[in-house]
Amino acid sequence: MATRHLVRTMILQTLYEWDFYHQKPDPEKILARNLEEFAPGIDEPDFAWKILKGVLKHREAIDKIIVKAAPEWPLLRIAAIDRNILRIGLYELLYANPEEVPPKVAINESIEMAKNYGGPNSVKFVNGVLGTVFREMTPETKT
């Protein structure tokens, strides 16, 4: 498993646990524990912290985008794993440096996480939401 893919998996695990416990535990402590236990010595630990902090900083805006892109699905009715895959994917798609994480990479990584950790409809749902947002992006932000 590539380092960044492993990092995204650790972020997903962290956000899922944080979401499961109604956002009560400190997500940074959860990530530190997850990295130590499941990814000791990874090459890019800073990438993990950047993604987690970015998702948390922009979570409200990201959640509004999810609601807008999937109006038939109230946010809390979306499976927690799918909701957090979307949060990571949308953060990378909309807020991360596109030279560091190209938009298509953000989408593909989210789809891979949906395949590996989501339910039977997760891939279609995640792809649909991220595809909708990608199509609405300006040409300058798609590069």
Side-chain angles (χ1 to χ4, degrees):
M1 185 179 299
T3 299
R4 287 192 170 192
H5 184 74
L6 177 60
V7 164
R8 287 179 182 95
T9 301
M10 294 297 98
I11 300 297
L12 178 60
Q13 184 175 347
T14 298
L15 291 172
Y16 181 85
E17 181 178 339
W18 181 67
D19 216 7
F20 182 82
Y21 289 111
H22 308 289
Q23 303 166 355
K24 299 260 191 240
D26 181 355
E28 291 186 16
K29 288 181 182 176
I30 298 169
L31 179 59
R33 184 192 70 228
N34 288 340
L35 290 174
E36 183 179 320
E37 186 171 342
F38 301 111
I42 59 168
D43 295 340
E44 298 181 89
D46 292 343
F47 183 72
W49 294 106
K50 184 186 308 184
I51 299 294
L52 178 66
K53 289 177 181 182
V55 169
L56 295 173
K57 177 180 178 183
H58 298 285
R59 187 179 56 85
E60 285 184 32
I62 290 169
D63 286 354
K64 287 178 184 176
I65 293 166
I66 294 170
V67 169
K68 182 180 176 195
E72 322 72 52
W73 287 93
L75 191 64
L76 294 177
R77 297 247 357 250
I78 297 171
I81 200 77
D82 296 345
R83 184 171 53 241
N84 287 297
I85 290 170
L86 287 170
R87 286 173 174 158
I88 295 166
L90 287 169
Y91 167 74
E92 289 191 309
L93 188 63
L94 299 171
Y95 298 101
N97 179 349
E99 292 178 13
E100 185 177 21
V101 181
K104 291 182 180 181
V105 171
I107 293 169
N108 287 336
E109 283 291 322
S110 296
I111 290 169
E112 285 302 313
M113 286 192 292
K115 285 180 187 175
N116 291 326
Y117 305 108
N121 298 317
S122 295
V123 171
K124 186 176 177 182
F125 181 68
V126 167
N127 188 39
V129 171
L130 294 177
T132 297
V133 173
F134 182 73
R135 283 188 298 280
E136 292 178 4
M137 291 171 64
T138 62
E140 301 82 44
T141 59
K142 286 185 180 181
T143 57

